[in-house]
């Protein structure tokens, strides 16, 4: 009995001791991990991020606090610190507020449409369907097609004398889609959702591959319908992919430039499709105020980061 008690006590002490925090790891191990050579392999991508994203963002922040203007190469000019003057200028400009309102309308339409359509299509394409490979390829083709070519097709469809208006006849809107201040931005939002749908379908398909089929079989045996299975199994199972789709769709929408520039001739009609990035191009390059354009960009980065954090908070909480 004493031997058993001693053995039990020693096991208890051993278990208790194993839960004590170990010695603090050296900073080299904390930084490089157990395989420091991995840092060597990822260093090219880290340098790429620093050169393509970190440095331009830091330079934009610096520009937004200075009276910055373009000068001839090699010419040294004074660019004094102006504090928040550039931010005051852009935040009191109605055109800037209009551009952020436009992008808010775009995101309200584009992001839910992108998430819902891509998830529904991915769920359908994840099943055994005839010509499944053909449909998967067909949905992905617009994403890899040049924007100029796809925009040409949509202009042919939605011009005043386009195919859609001819089909609608007297029901066609007046003014037409792309020159209607109320319909132009929603049409751009639908266009972007359609063009990028294939990419997000692929993301959801990869997430659905990890969902055990036994869950669907058990739910079907219990008498659950397709809608109940989709809501109770598919949606919770792909929640991490949904968070990724939400963030990517928001970031892509916040950087909207090509579509309104080509579809509506630079943000028309009357600025109804002008996005903050398009306004940055106009203000910085065409009008020669890169410091104000940088201030708009910094504000946009802050807003997109805040929206992404809200997405993460709500998705992880659910």
């Amino acid at each position: 009995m004493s031997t058993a008690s001693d053995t039990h006590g020693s096991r208890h002490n051993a278990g208790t001791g194993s839960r004590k925090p170990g010695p603090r790891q050296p900073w080299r191990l904390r930084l490089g991990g157990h395989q420091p050579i991995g840092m060597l392999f990822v260093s090219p991508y880290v340098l790429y991020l620093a050169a393509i994203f970190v440095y331009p963002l830091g330079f934009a922040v610096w520009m937004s606090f200075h009276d910055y203007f373009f000068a001839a190469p090699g010419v040294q000019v004074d660019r004094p610190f102006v504090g928040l003057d550039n931010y005051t200028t852009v935040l009191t400009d109605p055109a800037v507020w209009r551009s952020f309102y436009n992008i808010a309308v775009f995101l309200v339409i584009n992001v839910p449409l992108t998430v819902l359509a891509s998830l529904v299509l991915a769920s359908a394409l994840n099943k055994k369907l005839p010509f499944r490979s053909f449909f998967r390829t067909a949905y992905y083709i617009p994403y890899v097609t040049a924007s100029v070519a796809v925009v040409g097709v949509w202009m042919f469809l939605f011009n005043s004398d386009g195919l859609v208006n001819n089909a609608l006849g007297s029901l066609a809107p007046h003014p037409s889609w792309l020159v209607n201040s109320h319909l132009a931005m929603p049409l751009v939002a639908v266009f972007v959702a359609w063009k990028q749908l294939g990419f997000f379908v692929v993301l959801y398909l990869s997430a659905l591959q990890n969902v055990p089929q036994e869950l669907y079989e058990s739910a079907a045996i219990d008498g659950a319908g397709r809608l109940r299975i989709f809501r109770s199994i598919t949606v919770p199972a792909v929640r991490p992919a949904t968070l990724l789709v939400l963030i990517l769709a928001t970031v892509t929408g916040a950087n909207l430039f090509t579509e309104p520039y080509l579809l509506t001739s630079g943000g028309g009609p009357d600025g109804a499709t002008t996005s903050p990035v398009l306004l940055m191009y106009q203000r910085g390059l065409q009008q020669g105020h890169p410091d104000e354009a940088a201030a708009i960009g910094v504000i946009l980065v802050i807003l997109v980061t805040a929206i992404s954090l809200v997405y993460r908070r709500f998705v992880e909480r659910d």
Side-chain angles (χ1 to χ4, degrees):
M1 292 295 293
S2 60
T3 304
S5 300
D6 295 341
T7 304
H8 177 74
S10 61
R11 290 178 179 176
H12 176 74
N13 293 333
T16 304
S18 62
R19 289 193 295 268
K20 293 181 180 179
R24 185 176 179 83
Q25 295 179 340
W27 66 270
R28 294 185 182 86
L29 188 59
R30 297 198 306 271
L31 180 63
H34 292 281
Q35 298 294 335
I37 195 172
M39 296 296 295
L40 178 63
F41 288 107
V42 302
S43 58
Y45 186 66
V46 173
L47 295 176
Y48 167 79
L49 289 178
I52 302 299
F53 295 103
V54 178
Y55 173 75
L57 179 60
F59 186 56
V61 173
W62 183 88
M63 287 174 56
S64 67
F65 288 103
H66 290 77
D67 182 13
Y68 191 92
F69 54 91
F70 296 119
V75 177
Q76 298 293 330
V77 295
D78 185 28
R79 297 184 174 96
F81 178 80
V82 295
L84 298 176
D85 288 354
N86 291 321
Y87 291 93
T88 303
T89 300
V90 299
L91 290 177
T92 55
D93 188 346
V96 175
W97 285 100
R98 179 67 184 274
S99 68
F100 279 99
Y101 170 78
N102 292 338
I103 207 64
V105 172
F106 175 90
L107 294 176
V108 167
I109 298 173
N110 175 267
V111 174
L113 180 61
T114 298
V115 173
L116 181 61
S118 57
L119 179 55
V120 170
L121 287 175
S123 300
L125 295 176
N126 194 45
K127 300 177 182 178
K128 294 182 179 180
L129 298 173
F131 306 106
R132 182 174 63 175
S133 299
F134 167 77
F135 286 114
R136 287 183 175 181
T137 305
Y139 284 119
Y140 196 76
I141 285 178
Y143 178 73
V144 297
T145 304
S147 296
V148 175
V150 182
V151 164
V153 174
W154 275 65
M155 292 183 66
F156 169 76
L157 292 174
F158 291 97
N159 271 336
S160 299
D161 56 349
L163 185 63
V164 174
N165 283 354
N166 291 332
L168 292 176
S170 60
L171 298 177
H174 299 282
S176 189
W177 305 89
L178 296 175
V179 293
N180 191 313
S181 59
H182 300 290
L183 298 177
M185 182 55 84
L187 184 63
V188 172
V190 174
F191 168 78
V192 174
W194 169 80
K195 187 179 187 306
Q196 298 180 346
L197 195 62
F199 173 73
F200 295 116
V201 167
V202 170
L203 291 181
Y204 272 124
L205 279 173
S206 62
L208 289 171
Q209 300 298 318
N210 298 322
V211 181
Q213 292 299 317
E214 292 80 4
L215 295 177
Y216 294 104
E217 296 172 358
S218 300
I221 293 174
D222 292 338
R226 293 183 178 180
L227 183 60
R228 180 61 182 275
I229 292 175
F230 178 80
R231 187 175 66 250
S232 301
I233 297 179
T234 303
V235 174
V238 298
R239 186 173 289 122
T242 300
L243 176 61
L244 179 61
V245 172
L246 284 170
I247 294 176
L248 290 178
T250 301
V251 172
T252 303
N255 288 277
L256 187 69
F257 175 83
T258 304
E259 290 77 9
Y261 184 79
L262 296 177
L263 275 174
T264 61
S265 301
D270 298 328
T273 59
T274 300
S275 64
V277 175
L278 181 56
L279 187 62
M280 290 168 58
Y281 165 76
Q282 296 171 346
R283 191 67 58 87
L285 297 181
Q286 295 180 342
Q287 301 175 12
H289 297 288
D291 47 1
E292 297 179 7
I296 298 173
V298 172
I299 295 173
L300 184 63
V301 169
I302 294 173
L303 290 177
V304 172
T305 304
I307 294 173
S308 301
L309 293 176
V310 171
Y311 285 157
R312 181 177 180 181
R313 180 72 177 269
F314 276 95
V315 171
E316 290 182 349
R317 186 184 67 176
D318 293 339

